[in-house]
C-alpha cells in the first residue's frame, strides 16, 4: 500500500510539472546587461547553473529577458532561488512565461452563420424560404366613387366640425383647348411653348 501511494504521488508531481511552463521572464533588467558583454555573461551564468542547455532572448527595448529551460523543473528551481535576488545592485524579478495557445497557424474563414448578410450573398441560410407576395387589396367602393366623379363638380370627402376642417375635392374640367387659355374678356390666347434647352455639340478632346 505504501509503494502504491508513493507511485501515485510521483505521477501527480509529473503531471503538475508538465503543466508548468519551462521559461521565465526577467523584468526590469539593468540596461548594462544589454550593453556590456561581461555583465551579460554573469547574468546568463546564474541560470546556466540550473540547466546548462538554457537559451536566452534579450529584449532591450522592454528591458526584459526570456530564459528558456529544457524542462519545467529547472525553471521552477531558478524562479524560487533567484526571484527578488540582487544582481548588479538591483532587485531581479522573475515570472513564468505564459503559454498562449493560438490554435491553427492559418487564418480560418469566418463562420457561415451570418454570411447571408453580405451583399451580394453567397447563398441563403439553411432553412430560408422566399415569402409569397400577398394578394393586392382592391377597394371597390373607392373605384365606384371615382367613376361617379364628373368634371366641374365638388365632392365633400369629410364633413367639417368645430375642431377639424372639411375636405372637399374639386374635379378639374376636361381641357380640350389644344394649348389655348381663355382670358378674362372671353378671348383666347396661345400658351407659350416651353423650348427645351439644346444640348451642346459633342467635341472629342485631344486626350481621347
Amino acid at each position: 500500500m505504501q509503494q502504491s501511494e508513493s507511485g501515485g504521488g510521483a505521477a501527480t508531481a509529473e503531471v503538475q510539472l508538465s503543466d508548468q511552463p519551462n521559461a521565465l521572464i526577467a523584468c526590469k533588467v539593468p540596461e548594462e546587461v544589454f550593453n556590456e558583454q561581461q555583465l551579460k555573461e554573469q547574468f546568463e551564468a546564474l541560470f546556466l547553473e540550473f540547466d546548462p542547455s538554457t537559451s536566452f532572448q534579450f529584449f532591450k527595448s522592454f528591458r526584459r529577458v526570456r530564459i528558456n529551460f529544457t524542462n519545467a523543473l529547472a525553471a521552477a528551481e531558478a524562479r524560487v532561488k533567484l526571484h527578488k535576488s540582487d544582481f548588479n545592485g538591483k532587485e531581479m524579478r522573475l515570472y513564468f512565461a505564459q503559454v498562449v495557445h493560438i490554435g491553427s497557424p492559418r487564418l480560418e474563414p469566418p463562420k457561415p452563420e451570418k454570411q447571408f448578410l453580405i451583399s451580394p450573398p453567397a447563398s441563403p441560410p439553411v432553412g430560408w424560404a422566399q415569402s409569397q407576395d400577398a394578394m393586392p387589396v382592391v377597394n371597390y367602393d373607392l373605384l365606384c366613387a371615382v367613376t361617379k366623379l364628373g368634371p366641374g363638380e365638388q365632392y365633400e370627402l369629410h364633413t367639417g366640425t368645430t375642431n377639424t376642417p372639411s375636405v372637399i375635392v374639386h374635379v378639374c374640367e376636361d381641357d380640350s383647348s389644344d394649348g389655348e387659355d381663355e382670358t378674362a374678356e372671353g378671348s383666347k390666347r396661345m400658351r407659350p411653348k416651353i423650348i427645351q434647352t439644346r444640348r451642346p455639340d459633342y467635341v472629342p478632346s485631344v486626350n481621347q
Side-chain angles (χ1 to χ4, degrees):
M1 293 295 292
Q2 293 180 356
Q3 292 180 356
S4 61
E5 290 178 358
S6 61
T12 305
E14 290 180 359
V15 171
Q16 292 178 352
L17 287 176
S18 62
D19 296 337
Q20 294 293 331
N22 60 348
L24 297 176
I25 301 294
C27 301
K28 297 182 179 180
V29 180
E31 296 182 1
E32 295 80 3
V33 175
F34 303 96
N35 301 326
E36 300 180 12
Q37 184 64 28
Q38 183 178 359
L39 281 178
K40 181 183 290 187
E41 293 176 356
Q42 293 177 3
F43 180 84
E44 293 177 352
L46 295 176
F47 301 94
L48 291 174
E49 294 179 359
F50 302 94
D51 187 359
S53 301
T54 303
S55 60
F56 301 87
Q57 293 173 294
F58 292 86
F59 303 97
K60 183 178 179 179
S61 301
F62 301 97
R63 292 179 57 190
R64 294 186 178 186
V65 180
R66 180 185 175 99
I67 304 101
N68 304 300
F69 299 89
T70 56
N71 56 81
L73 180 60
E77 291 179 354
R79 205 268 177 177
V80 170
K81 294 183 179 180
L82 298 179
H83 181 59
K84 291 188 177 182
S85 62
D86 181 77
F87 177 76
N88 197 27
K90 295 184 179 180
E91 185 182 62
M92 182 187 307
R93 292 183 177 270
L94 300 174
Y95 301 95
F96 287 105
Q98 299 295 326
V99 180
V100 180
H101 298 282
I102 300 178
S104 176
R106 297 176 297 178
L107 182 62
E108 299 294 335
K111 295 182 179 181
E113 283 86 0
K114 297 183 178 180
Q115 282 190 355
F116 63 93
L117 297 178
I118 303 175
S119 179
S123 59
V126 178
W128 179 86
Q130 185 176 3
S131 60
Q132 300 294 331
D133 295 337
M135 294 296 295
V137 178
V138 181
N139 192 336
Y140 293 99
D141 295 335
L142 179 60
L143 293 178
C144 181
V146 171
T147 56
K148 294 179 180 179
L149 294 178
E153 300 179 1
Q154 299 180 4
Y155 297 91
E156 186 176 13
L157 301 181
H158 177 74
T159 305
T161 62
T162 56
N163 298 325
T164 59
S166 59
V167 179
I168 301 176
V169 176
H170 299 266
V171 182
C172 298
E173 297 182 359
D174 187 14
D175 188 5
S176 59
S177 56
D178 295 333
E180 295 180 350
D181 290 334
E182 186 175 356
T183 62
E185 294 80 7
S187 60
K188 296 183 179 181
R189 64 178 180 181
M190 296 297 296
R191 296 178 184 174
K193 185 178 180 180
I194 300 176
I195 303 175
Q196 300 293 336
T197 304
R198 185 175 179 273
R199 187 184 67 179
D201 297 332
Y202 174 74
V203 179
S205 60
V206 179
N207 295 332
Q208 294 179 350

